[in-house]
Amino acid sequence: QVQLVESGGGVVQPGRSLRLSCAASGFTFSNYGIHWVRQAPGKGLEWVTVISYDESNKYYADSVKGRFTISRDNSKKTVYLHMNSLREEDTAVYYCAKGKDSSASPSHFDDWGQGTLVTVSS
Amino acid sequence: IVLTQSPGTLSLFPGERATLSCRASQTVSSSSLAWYQQKPGQAPRLLIYDASNRAAGIPDRFSGSGYETDFTLTINRLEPEDFAVYYCQQYGKSPETFGQGTKVEIK
């Protein structure tokens, strides 16, 4: 069965960096785009970024553009989210989710990881 | 596209029908609208995609309808496990966006 496992969350000071990982199994990883969606404590869901199957297309929400970078290693079946210049408003649970196809087009999400909490605080 | 869900909270008894609304600020192309259920401490779970198609393993008491700007999730005969927060999401236009959620609570 499809499994997505996030890791790398933790407490970090404003302005610092953090890298999240999303390890996949149970499907042909290199055939799918992968998204990150976040949820601030007690709040709703916010789409963050997407990467296509071959890294040729990457898109970002305006709130993270220029600060976050998504990448993937198909040999390791892992997607990474590099987060720089973190702000308190980036505090959230970060979920990775499998897209509906190989592209970076908008998608619904059949499969989600369990999430990893990022807390930005001094 | 801004999605507005109503009501914010729905208080119902088990066995009753829940009707949740999701209104879009502009037409959602190709009825690219999904519904998710989320319970505390869990990831969202896909219920409905393309406005009216149930995801794999979703009971038939869940149904979706609507088009353009007005969409509805109906839950017939609420079971105890259905009390949760529900989100709509549009993926017809980038960036995909979510509604703010409707909480279905036990009355």
Side-chain angles (χ1 to χ4, degrees):
Chain A
Q1 72 283 16
V2 173
Q3 194 167 13
L4 297 164
V5 179
E6 303 93 337
S7 61
V11 180
V12 61
Q13 292 179 326
R16 304 298 292 264
S17 299
L18 202 62
R19 188 187 78 165
L20 305 183
S21 299
C22 169
S25 61
F27 65 102
T28 306
F29 179 74
S30 57
N31 284 356
Y32 287 91
I34 301 294
H35 301 246
W36 287 92
V37 176
R38 69 183 180 182
Q39 186 170 36
K43 303 297 184 183
L45 301 163
E46 179 189 18
W47 176 84
V48 176
T49 181
V50 60
I51 187 167
S52 62
Y53 74 108
D54 62 353
E55 291 196 277
S56 60
N57 290 293
K58 305 174 186 179
Y59 302 111
Y60 301 90
D62 287 345
S63 57
V64 307
K65 201 171 292 182
R67 300 188 298 122
F68 288 15
T69 302
I70 191 171
S71 62
R72 66 190 292 160
D73 184 337
N74 285 344
S75 67
K76 294 183 178 178
K77 300 183 182 180
T78 301
V79 169
Y80 303 100
L81 181 62
H82 307 260
M83 304 186 294
N84 298 323
S85 303
L86 282 161
R87 305 167 180 168
E88 290 188 353
E89 55 264 35
D90 295 319
T91 294
V93 174
Y94 285 74
Y95 297 100
C96 62
K98 173 175 158 285
K100 59 183 170 64
D101 58 31
S102 61
S103 76
S105 298
S107 176
H108 62 268
F109 307 120
D110 291 85
D111 300 288
W112 299 65
Q114 85 289 350
T116 188
L117 176 61
V118 173
T119 303
V120 184
S121 173
S122 53
Chain B
I1 298 177
V2 176
L3 299 179
T4 302
Q5 293 186 240
S6 62
T9 302
L10 201 50
S11 299
L12 295 168
F13 292 105
E16 290 193 298
R17 172 184 294 175
T19 303
L20 287 67
S21 173
C22 177
R23 180 160 291 175
S25 60
Q26 55 187 275
T27 293
V28 177
S29 64
S30 305
S31 293
S32 297
L33 189 112
W35 290 93
Y36 299 87
Q37 176 193 70
Q38 188 178 34
K39 297 179 181 178
Q42 297 184 16
R45 173 194 182 198
L46 178 68
L47 300 174
I48 301 287
Y49 65 95
D50 294 348
S52 60
N53 294 311
R54 269 189 301 277
I58 301 303
D60 61 7
R61 65 179 181 273
F62 290 91
S63 63
S65 63
Y67 68 105
E68 294 189 342
T69 61
D70 288 292
F71 299 87
T72 300
L73 174 70
T74 302
I75 313 171
N76 287 311
R77 302 178 308 278
L78 279 164
E79 297 285 342
E81 62 266 28
D82 298 336
F83 292 92
V85 178
Y86 292 83
Y87 294 95
C88 58
Q89 177 219 3
Q90 70 80 23
Y91 47 97
K93 182 178 180 180
S94 182
E96 43 266 75
T97 50
F98 293 88
Q100 82 281 16
T102 290
K103 182 178 182 180
V104 178
E105 64 176 23
I106 299 176
K107 194 169 185 179

